[in-house]
């Protein structure tokens, strides 16, 4: 496990580095945006911890550029303010999760572990969960070799669930990732879309175990 830390505040960067190394992660630190971007582009990391506010090149720009260059390393964004706009901007730019400063090291570790449990994108942009496959480029979905047709919103929802396979996602997280906050979305909408997805992904495959699960009081997850 190799982690890149991009953070201009030396005190925070060094504390994260020290803590992660005690947990046996290998780490590199970049204290400026362009250095972080160069390292992330040329070295092979399992995770990038990326500060939002950085001199010269900010976290959002780095994130966008990496994703544009097809670098899909999971990114945990650090935001100074707990503002929804910052979080949404980070997630829209391609970050996988965010953490608001100040944070406890325990929480950072928990996020790092969660991001590392996620399935890696395998072969030409295809996400795989059990016998379900979703191609993020061609938009083809199949389960047990049978094609599944989804609307674009259903596709976004399934893609988000699959990128976070085996992780419980709250309705708020789902809304933030799949819909825009400014859209007038009720939590009930998520339920409706989950039901639609089930009818296409689970219901027709009666001999298979259902993949989409409701976790009462928390949210939803996809996986075995
Ligand atoms: Ca900073």
């Amino acid at each position: 496990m190799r982690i890149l830390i991009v953070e201009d505040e030396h005190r925070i960067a060094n504390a994260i580095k020290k803590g992660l190394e005690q947990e046996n992660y290998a780490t590199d630190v970049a204290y400026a945006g362009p250095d972080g971007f160069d390292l992330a582009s040329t070295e092979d990391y399992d995770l990038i911890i990326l500060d939002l506010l950085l001199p010269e090149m900010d976290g959002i720009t780095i994130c966008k550029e990496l994703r544009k260059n097809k670098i899909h390393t999971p990114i945990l964004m650090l935001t100074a303010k707990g503002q929804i706009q910052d979080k949404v901007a980070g997630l829209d730019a391609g970050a996988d999760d965010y953490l608001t400063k100040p944070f406890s090291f325990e929480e950072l570790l928990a996020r790092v572990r969660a991001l590392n449990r996620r399935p890696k994108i395998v072969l030409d942009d295809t996400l795989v969960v059990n016998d379900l496959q979703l191609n993020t480029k061609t938009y083809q979905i199949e389960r047990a070799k049978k094609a599944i047709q989804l609307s674009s919103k259903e596709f976004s929802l399934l893609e988000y669930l699959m990128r976070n396979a085996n992780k419980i996602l709250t309705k708020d997280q789902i809304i933030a990732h799949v819909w825009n906050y400014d859209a007038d979305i009720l939590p009930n909408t998520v339920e409706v879309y989950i039901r639609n997805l089930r009818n296409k992904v689970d219901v027709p495959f009666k001999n298979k175990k259902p993949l989409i699960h409701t976790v009462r009081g928390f949210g939803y997850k996809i996986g075995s």
Side-chain angles (χ1 to χ4, degrees):
M1 273 297 306
R2 193 167 171 217
I3 299 177
L4 173 64
I5 303 156
V6 188
E7 164 63 89
D8 59 314
E9 284 171 73
H10 286 236
R11 186 180 55 82
I12 296 175
N14 296 339
I16 294 173
K17 178 180 170 66
K18 198 170 155 223
L20 288 174
E21 285 177 351
Q22 275 170 359
E23 299 289 325
N24 295 316
Y25 294 104
T27 60
D28 288 322
V29 176
Y31 298 108
D35 295 344
F37 179 74
D38 287 346
L39 279 172
S41 304
T42 52
E43 303 291 320
D44 190 18
Y45 293 102
D46 298 290
L47 177 71
I48 301 166
I49 296 173
L50 180 61
D51 188 30
L52 183 85
L53 293 172
L54 291 165
E56 296 169 74
M57 189 176 190
D58 67 32
I60 300 280
T61 309
I62 292 175
C63 205
K64 277 190 184 152
E65 289 298 313
L66 289 175
R67 296 310 188 227
K68 205 158 73 183
N69 295 339
K70 307 234 184 320
I71 293 167
H72 295 291
T73 313
I75 293 177
L76 173 60
M77 190 84 89
L78 303 180
T79 63
K81 305 160 268 183
Q83 286 178 347
I84 278 175
Q85 287 87 336
D86 281 350
K87 294 174 185 174
V88 173
L91 295 171
D92 282 347
D96 298 86
D97 201 359
Y98 55 81
L99 196 53
T100 305
K101 294 181 191 172
F103 51 83
S104 73
F105 189 70
E106 286 308 306
E107 187 177 3
L108 177 84
L109 270 186
R111 304 268 178 150
V112 166
R113 284 194 296 263
L115 285 169
N116 280 316
R117 278 199 299 270
R118 289 189 188 180
K120 301 273 179 273
I121 292 182
V122 295
L123 302 171
D124 62 15
D125 303 299
T126 301
L127 294 166
V128 182
V129 174
N130 293 23
D131 55 353
L132 178 66
Q133 295 197 6
L134 177 149
N135 189 302
T136 59
K137 284 282 139 58
T138 63
Y139 300 102
Q140 281 168 322
I141 306 147
E142 54 179 57
R143 182 164 186 193
K145 306 234 169 356
K146 202 169 159 247
I148 295 172
Q149 306 293 333
L150 298 181
S151 72
S152 66
K153 256 318 171 230
E154 290 164 358
F155 182 92
S156 304
L157 175 59
L158 184 62
E159 180 181 358
Y160 178 56
L161 291 170
M162 289 179 77
R163 283 189 189 278
N164 296 281
N166 295 310
K167 184 181 164 197
I168 300 168
L169 301 166
T170 65
K171 283 181 187 173
D172 282 348
Q173 284 175 309
I174 291 172
I175 289 169
H177 281 261
V178 179
W179 285 271
N180 294 323
Y181 265 113
D182 52 7
D184 204 7
I185 295 298
L186 302 168
N188 181 34
T189 309
V190 178
E191 286 168 32
V192 171
Y193 275 85
I194 290 279
R195 195 182 315 138
N196 292 348
L197 265 192
R198 280 203 169 106
N199 284 334
K200 294 178 178 181
V201 171
D202 281 335
V203 174
F205 301 90
K206 291 195 173 25
N207 301 328
K208 307 268 178 187
K209 276 199 288 186
L211 294 176
I212 299 168
H213 305 279
T214 301
V215 184
R216 295 236 172 268
F218 294 99
Y220 303 97
K221 70 168 186 174
I222 197 166
S224 42

